[in-house]
Amino acid sequence: MARQLTFDLPARAAQGLDDFLVTPSNATAMSVVEAWQDWPNRKLVLVGAEGTGKTHLTHVWAGTADAQIINATDLIDTDIPALAGQSVAVEDADRIAGDATAETALFHLHNLVLAEGGSLLITGIAAPSRWGIGLPDLKSRLEGTTLATLDAPDDMLLSAVLVKLFDDRQIAVPANLIDYLLARMDRSLAAAAALVEQLDQAALSEGRPLTRNLAARFLHRETGSET
């Protein structure tokens, strides 16, 4: 059978409040972020492993608080004084640990944002005490900040995300496919997105609808495991 041409069409990357799926694994963190106007000292550290939804929840907060989002690795090149008093989210702050220049930039941003009435959201993969921050004043401020944690995605969340990702691509999936994938996929939102994209491409290349059997063949080719 001739293979069909496939086209790498981008799927919609929805990161708004209506697209954030709340389940027990993220409900507590979501409630804390939603109550951002009540944060002690107007700041919060949001932590969770890769693929737990930190970036999505950060965008939800930024949209609600009219905040700017900056990756911590870009702080050195950021006009920090221009952000005084604004609401700001700093992503992946744990990645600058040991970089004295970047740590100093975050320290100044922290002080300028909060001193002028803004709010500050900082994200990382674990609690700040585990980041290895070298600047003592920054370390103490981060460790004294309220902490919200995103747990690993539960089955309810992963199932809902898979359904939504397939729907975003206008792919109708059989009822038995979602549970089949849940039992075999890596437990992260990023893995779910990658798997849906790969299965979409596999179905397109074979020129047939996505089925459990097609998914089984794909996973067997990728992992060599029994399906």
Side-chain angles (χ1 to χ4, degrees):
M1 177 183 295
R3 292 171 63 84
Q4 291 192 350
L5 294 175
T6 63
F7 299 92
D8 190 14
L9 300 176
R12 180 171 59 95
Q15 293 185 318
L17 177 59
D18 291 342
D19 300 294
F20 192 84
L21 305 171
V22 180
T23 70
S25 66
N26 59 28
T28 299
M30 178 63 174
S31 66
V32 174
V33 169
E34 284 186 312
W36 65 276
Q37 292 174 314
D38 298 324
W39 291 349
N41 301 313
R42 301 191 311 281
K43 60 178 180 174
L44 179 75
V45 172
L46 175 66
V47 302
E50 294 292 334
T52 54
K54 290 193 304 296
T55 293
H56 191 162
L57 191 50
T58 296
H59 279 79
V60 169
W61 177 72
T64 302
D66 192 25
Q68 295 196 44
I69 301 175
I70 303 169
N71 193 283
T73 57
D74 296 326
L75 284 172
I76 296 174
D77 300 317
T78 299
D79 184 359
I80 301 296
L83 297 172
Q86 297 188 40
S87 291
V88 179
V90 180
E91 290 196 284
D92 303 322
D94 52 305
R95 295 183 182 178
I96 64 170
D99 184 332
T101 303
E103 287 186 11
T104 299
L106 179 56
F107 175 69
H108 290 315
L109 175 66
H110 172 284
N111 292 344
L112 284 171
V113 165
L114 300 178
E116 299 296 329
S119 297
L120 184 64
L121 175 66
I122 299 174
T123 75
I125 61 171
S129 60
R130 299 174 58 187
W131 293 358
I133 296 294
L135 185 63
D137 287 341
L138 176 62
K139 178 179 172 67
S140 64
R141 283 164 173 75
L142 292 175
E143 292 183 4
T145 301
T146 300
L147 187 70
T149 302
L150 284 163
D151 295 329
D154 52 27
D155 279 356
M156 184 184 301
L157 179 57
L158 286 173
S159 177
V161 166
L162 286 171
V163 170
K164 183 181 184 306
L165 289 169
F166 282 123
D167 184 65
D168 285 346
R169 291 174 176 269
Q170 299 182 332
I171 300 173
V173 294
N176 63 352
L177 179 60
I178 299 300
D179 287 343
Y180 177 80
L181 295 176
L182 282 176
R184 292 160 176 81
M185 63 180 287
D186 291 337
R187 312 294 293 180
S188 79
L189 303 184
L195 180 58
V196 168
E197 180 178 3
Q198 292 162 354
L199 290 174
D200 186 15
Q201 293 299 313
L204 286 170
S205 68
E206 293 194 13
R208 63 185 64 190
L210 179 59
T211 63
R212 180 189 179 283
N213 287 338
L214 189 154
R217 291 198 306 276
F218 170 80
L219 291 174
H220 181 68
R221 288 197 304 269
E222 293 297 304
T223 66
S225 62
E226 293 296 327
T227 56

